[in-house]
């Protein structure tokens, strides 16, 4: 750096570090001292931030990058020496006694949990312009993902408090990891909706920072093409959540408050909370330090496979192998067909839906050693086979599910397999890409995500004894989906299967063209025959019995063109909208006992 001595002391340190790490090119084009000083200051402010937000600092980032880039250049396989095999875990079947027992254990434990939502991603594959958590999970009620998550946590909090100590409730902490791409919009969404009923102090936002981009195999940091005093940055991945939680100090606060579990989840899975109580029950019962929620996985489906990896030196671990790596790993280890379905019609490797339950004590112990650093990887796009230069700058990345990679062999790492229809329906793909998904594999689109909610709720009611008419097949935006009755309920209405069964009695039936939205806690269905639309709103303390034959024109699903920009984007990406022709809607705002029987 020219005239180094003219810089303030902290900047001298950073400049020295950079030049020692082979980064002098960052300063080569700088103007003379006295010229563009503000930009130089801004440059060092950015460097200081990049340095402090990475465990071990920038020097460590550059060092790791060199190692990973060298491995990538020589084509070193990160799984070298490891043989994959199918691990054993807890396999649950919705609604049986085992499941019900785990659900009860899970609800009891829920008050000792903290929830962490990773929502720093923009969802490029979906091509939606807003933040994903603001998308309606379903359009019958228009409830967005974030609202449904918050209401689920509050419902768990209440149920857990009731089960264990009467009415007194412990507040379940809720953390959202955001990024520069999502932070402001997430905060706005919360603030303009009064935090969806949660106390603002119960919610903490932690913003992840991007990491420096790399121009070449020597890990020379890339300058922003539009600003020579700025280092180009890109997202580092959802693995950042661990270092952020660690440095926030929250983990120790939670530990001191007697919490035992941290539950991680992702931005757009409308079914997730149906799987949480039972999986938490599994964690508590089996004393798992790490419990990944998994579902049956179709071969080549874009979800990671939970795999046991055994090294020739004896090491062994149960870990997610990402979807783009499972096939090559299998081929390289004596499975010439790679990632294929077995006789069950599914891949033998359970699919990682990336909802992790970690036991807090061992988690803190591990992070105290690692500082929250997660094993990283690099994925450069080379210009040619010589692998000497990149098409565009690259950066290190990390994934939250790689957390177990540094754990000692004594750690209890398990997983819980749930029925896919119950637990997993993310919204990741745009209509065009979804329509191209191989037949039989899930679309993971806004269309399939919404339909999956109706399907799961219908199947749950069916299991609870309601006669549900069979679904019909319909095609929206080139995707063939099963359309079940559009049944939705507030999380507090039916948090567990036992709770749902308690609210249904007699002989109930719901026709395929029906819609039912239960927006209240104490709504009981008794000898109800529904053929149309029924909406019930009720406050806590209003006990409503619904029965008899309800029939009206109902709410119809109409196809829409996903390319029609006159329609709001959040609807358009579904390929259908709801035409609300006629409904029976009742609202109960006073406590008491009521009967609705037309
Ligand atoms: N995310 C962040 N920060 C980032 C990148 C992503 O918070 O820098 C969030 C994102 O908002 C989302 C989650 O992380 O909530 C996952 O991102 P997404 O792009 O949906 O992940 P995928 O690449 O589809 O894969 C993840 C796991 C994979 C798993 C799959 C299940 O890596 O193992 O099977 O999710 O949905």
């Amino acid at each position: 750096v020219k005239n180094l001595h003219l810089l303030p002391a902290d900047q001298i340190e950073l400049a020295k570090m950079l030049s020692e790490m082979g980064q002098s090119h960052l300063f080569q084009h700088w103007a003379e001292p006295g010229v563009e000083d503000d930009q130089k200051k801004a440059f060092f402010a950015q460097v200081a931030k990049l340095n402090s937000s990475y465990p071990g600092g920038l020097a460590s980032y550059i060092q790791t990058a060199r190692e990973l880039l060298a491995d990538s250049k020589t084509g070193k396989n990160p799984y070298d020496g490891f043989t994959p095999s199918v691990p054993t875990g807890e396999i649950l079947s919705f609604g049986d006694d085992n499941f019900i027992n785990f659900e009860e254990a899970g609800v009891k434990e829920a008050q000792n949990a903290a929830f962490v939502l990773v929502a720093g991603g923009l969802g490029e594959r979906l091509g939606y312009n807003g933040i994903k958590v603001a998308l309606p999970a379903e359009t019958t009620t228009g409830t967005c993902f974030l609202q449904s998550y918050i209401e689920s946590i509050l419902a768990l909090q209440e149920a857990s408090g009731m089960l264990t100590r009467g009415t007194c409730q412990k507040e379940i902490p809720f953390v959202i990891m955001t990024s520069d791409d999502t932070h402001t919009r997430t905060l706005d969404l919360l603030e303009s909706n009064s935090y969806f009923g949660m106390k603002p102090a119960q919610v903490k936002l932690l913003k992840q920072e991007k990491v420096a981009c790399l121009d070449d195999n020597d890990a020379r940091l890339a300058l922003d093409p539009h600003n020579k005093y700025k280092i180009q940055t890109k997202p580092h991945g959802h693995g950042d959540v661990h270092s952020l939680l660690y440095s926030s100090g929250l983990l120790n606060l939670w530990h001191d408050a007697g919490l035992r579990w941290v539950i991680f989840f992702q931005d757009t899975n409308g079914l997730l909370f149906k799987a949480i109580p039972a999986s938490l029950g599994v964690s508590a019962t089996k004393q798992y330090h790490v419990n990944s929620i998994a579902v049956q996985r179709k071969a080549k489906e874009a979800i990671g496979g939970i795999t046991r990896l055994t090294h020739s030196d004896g090491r062994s671990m149960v870990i997610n192998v990402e979807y783009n790596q499972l096939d090559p790993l299998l081929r390289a280890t004596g499975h010439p067909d790679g990632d294929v379905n077995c006789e069950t019609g599914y891949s033998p490797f359970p699919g990682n839906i990336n909802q992790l339950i970690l036991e807090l004590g061992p988690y803190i112990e591990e992070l105290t050693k690692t500082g929250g650093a997660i094993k990283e990887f690099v994925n450069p796009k080379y210009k040619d086979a010589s692998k000497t230069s990149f098409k565009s700058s690259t950066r290190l990345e990390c994934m939250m599910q790689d957390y177990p990679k540094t754990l000692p062999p004594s750690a209890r790492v398990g997983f819980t397999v749930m029925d896919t229809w119950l637990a997993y329906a993310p919204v990741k793909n745009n209509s065009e890409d979804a329509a191209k998904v191989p037949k039989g594999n899930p679309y993971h689109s806004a269309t399939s995500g919404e339909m999956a909610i109706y399907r799961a709720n219908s199947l749950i009611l069916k299991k609870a004894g309601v006669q549900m008419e069979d679904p019909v097949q319909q095609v929206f935006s080139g995707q063939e989906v099963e359309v079940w009755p559009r049944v939705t309920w507030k999380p507090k209405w039916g948090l567990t299967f036992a709770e749902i069964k308690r609210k249904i009695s007699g002989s109930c039936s719901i026709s395929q063209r029906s819609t039912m939205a239960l927006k209240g806690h104490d709504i009981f269905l008794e000898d109800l025959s529904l053929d149309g639309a029924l909406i019930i709103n009720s406050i806590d303390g209003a006990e409503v019995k619904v029965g008899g034959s309800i029939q009206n024109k109902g709410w119809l699903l109409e196809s829409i063109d996903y390319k029609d920009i006159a329609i709001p984007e959040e609807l358009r990406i579904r390929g259908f909208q709801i035409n609300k022709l006629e409904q029976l809607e009742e609202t109960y705002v006073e406590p008491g006992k009521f009967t609705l029987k037309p």
Side-chain angles (χ1 to χ4, degrees), residues 56 115 129 210 480 507 511 546:
F115 283 84
N129 279 309
K210 293 184 175 160
E480 185 173 314
S507 150
S511 69
V546 190

Side-chain angles (χ1 to χ4, degrees), residues 500-559:
I500 291 165
K501 279 204 297 194
R502 194 174 72 79
K503 288 176 171 162
I504 294 169
S505 61
S507 150
C508 295
S509 65
I510 298 180
S511 69
Q512 187 277 332
R513 62 175 205 92
S514 291
T515 296
M516 180 170 78
L518 304 177
K519 304 193 225 173
H521 186 271
D522 295 308
I523 303 170
F524 295 85
L525 311 181
E526 194 182 283
D527 294 317
L528 167 72
S529 152
L530 176 63
D531 182 33
L534 169 69
I535 316 293
I536 300 184
N537 311 285
S538 65
I539 60 155
D540 287 2
E543 201 183 300
V544 187
K545 235 182 225 167
V546 190
S549 168
I550 296 174
Q551 205 169 18
N552 53 48
K553 292 203 186 94
W555 291 6
L556 294 186
L557 290 186
E558 292 176 348
S559 289

